[in-house]
Amino acid sequence: MRPPPIRKSLGQHFLTDPRILARIADAVALTSDETVVEIGPGRGSLTEALLARAARVVAIEIDRRLVELLREKYAGEPRLTIIEADVLDVNLGEAAGGAYALAGNVPYYITTPILFQALRQPRALRSVLLVQKEVAARMAAPPGADDYGALSVNVQAVADVEMLFRIPSGAFNPPPRVDSAVVRVTPRAEPVVPHGIEEPFRIFVQTAFALRRKQMRRVVRTVAGRSAEEAEAALAMAGIDPDVRPETLSAAQFYALGRALMLWT
Ligand code: SAM
């Protein structure tokens, strides 16, 4: 079966260089008894490298014609399960049937929702994702850095992020407009934000960053609808200087502030 026409609207940029594919698959650090879930297998080039390293691969692909291609190509491979679905509708832990690692050359048009999907419980043991270079920089940025934002806080609240290596756009067919980078995301043993609080925490942080140039005194009044005195008191309780801006606060400080404001108890 010939590969179907490329659908750019689905973020289809395929990798073929075996050295790059091996580097990505190696970064997942799979043991031979592990299951890896792959987001967007496309024509199966990364899938191949993952199958060489894992016990099982569960690949989730939205494009029916690519699913048909993969089913034909891997008809005799019992270690590969192909799920035709939008990855955002899939519970990754259920799809894996237990503990799992996650890998993917992620479709750019839904990078952020996929990142949050990857951080939902039950979390992957580790995730190796190919994302736009700028997104990788935002995920890994420390407080106060130019790239630091709501995405950095929300990811770092529950996981450690390593920026591993860059991949030039010319390595893809067709080449995307931007360069990419491979990141490894490893859940923290003790997340800053406990299970069940992730969603209100995310909304709080995103709303605060909408006012990233304002001082925290003003941010708390606007975001949490508190008086000046209440805002100052909550900031004092969380040990945060009211003059600083959201872009300097760590995930732990945002969490402490939300507690002081009794946004979660
Ligand atoms: N893994 C392949 C590679 O590296 O050559 C393909 C990567 S390509 C950047 C992204 C893949 O994700 C495409 O195959 C695309 O059809 C698929 N995709 C796009 N949106 C998706 C979604 N919502 N759920 C699952 N797969 C999706």
Side-chain angles (χ1 to χ4, degrees), residues 10-15 40-42 45 61-62 86-87 105 107 109-110:
L10 289 177
Q12 292 181 353
H13 299 279
F14 299 110
L15 278 173
S45 57
E61 172 59 58
I62 199 170
D86 180 337
V87 66
N105 173 8
Y109 76 105
I110 45 168

Side-chain angles (χ1 to χ4, degrees), residues 11 39 103-112 114-115 129-132:
I39 298 171
N105 173 8
V106 166
Y108 290 166
Y109 76 105
I110 45 168
T111 302
T112 308
I114 285 181
L115 291 176
L129 303 170
L130 194 57
V131 297
Q132 299 98 306

